Amino acid sequence: MKSYKDAVIISPPLPLEFLPAGSPVRLGVLASGSGSNFEAIAQAIKNKHLNAEIPILIYNNPDAQVVEKAKKYQVPTCLINHRDYQGDRQKFDGKVIEVLRENQVDWVIMAGWMRIATPVLVQAFPQRIINIHPSLLPSFPGINAIEQALQAGVKVTGCTVHLVVEAVDSGPIIMQAVVPILPKDTPETLHAKVQLQEHKIMVGAIALATSQM
Ligand code: GRF
């Protein structure tokens, strides 16, 4: 039996059956970094736990490790480097929208996308953009959510998958998982524990959202 230290609560419960049969949902994934959430989605598709496909992965950092993971799963990639847009976030998002539309995506998944979505992106895919954040929103929005939780001295934190609206980290919550904080936790150990739960609720929330909406 697991000790209370391992206790994790996922709300709502993970769907037992993922997507209904039919055409796979086309997911456009946006990622900036290591891509462990991208990999969780790609692996769930490979395992047939998710009736979806990823026609395109867009990344914004030329050296993002997510690219290697995309190769492993034979997912096409497109680099859109925000540094080429001289701070014009709307123009950058315009290019992102163009590539997503070219690839006829049904849903947009921000899987560690370290850019704030401008209204033009949110309005291009209304109620069809999903984001993951490493805290129990509405607590600790913005950057350094793990460090914020440690500093606040809270005893539990977690992760949230939500729909993206124009205000940052504020859209309707689809799924959350709770992770206990232990006295010995550091930002690194806590982030590792949170990420394990992120991978579960990212897949579960995509299944839930895309099958219901
Ligand atoms: C995740 O912790 C996510 O919550 C945050 O960025 C991180 C991305 O991790 N927004 P990865 O690139 O999916 O490994």
Side-chain angles (χ1 to χ4, degrees):
M1 188 168 163
K2 286 186 166 184
S3 77
Y4 75 93
K5 289 179 186 168
D6 301 315
V8 167
I9 300 166
I10 291 178
S11 177
L14 288 170
L16 288 177
E17 287 180 9
F18 283 3
L19 292 178
S23 305
V25 173
R26 292 174 68 82
L27 307 175
V29 180
L30 312 182
S32 302
S34 74
S36 66
N37 281 285
F38 165 82
E39 184 160 29
I41 300 165
Q43 188 62 44
I45 293 171
K46 194 174 171 191
N47 293 346
K48 302 201 185 308
H49 289 164
L50 202 52
N51 184 15
E53 58 193 353
I54 307 175
I56 192 73
L57 164 80
I58 298 175
Y59 64 106
N60 64 309
N61 289 320
D63 52 359
Q65 291 166 27
V66 68
V67 178
E68 290 310 311
K69 297 191 169 93
K71 276 189 199 148
K72 179 175 156 194
Y73 290 90
Q74 295 172 321
V75 170
T77 59
C78 175
L79 169 65
I80 306 177
N81 190 337
H82 61 277
R83 297 163 191 87
D84 296 338
Y85 291 80
Q86 285 87 36
D88 189 338
R89 291 168 48 223
Q90 199 160 314
K91 202 168 163 204
F92 169 73
D93 273 355
K95 181 67 186 171
V96 172
I97 293 165
E98 186 187 311
V99 173
L100 291 169
R101 286 198 172 133
E102 272 168 17
N103 285 280
Q104 299 179 321
V105 309
D106 303 312
W107 285 78
V108 181
I109 313 297
M110 294 180 167
W113 182 241
M114 305 310 284
R115 310 297 305 163
I116 293 173
T118 61
V120 74
L121 177 55
V122 177
Q123 286 159 20
F125 295 93
Q127 308 285 306
R128 287 289 183 279
I129 307 179
I130 285 174
N131 183 45
I132 187 151
H133 182 78
S135 77
L136 292 173
L137 290 173
S139 292
F140 314 128
I143 57 166
N144 299 330
I146 299 281
E147 288 80 359
Q148 288 185 57
L150 283 170
Q151 256 176 17
V154 292
K155 301 302 174 199
V156 294
T157 186
C159 44
T160 302
V161 180
H162 65 94
L163 290 178
V164 172
V165 296
E166 289 184 21
V168 176
D169 296 334
S170 310
I173 291 171
I174 303 167
M175 200 172 272
Q176 291 184 307
V178 178
V179 174
I181 299 181
L182 304 180
K184 62 175 193 275
D185 270 324
T186 63
E188 291 73 30
T189 62
L190 185 55
H191 194 212
K193 287 192 287 184
V194 168
Q195 281 221 297
L196 284 180
Q197 301 311 315
E198 285 189 341
H199 303 158
K200 292 182 192 163
I201 66 166
M202 181 56 123
V203 172
I206 292 171
L208 196 62
T210 59
S211 60
Q212 289 185 356
M213 299 165 76

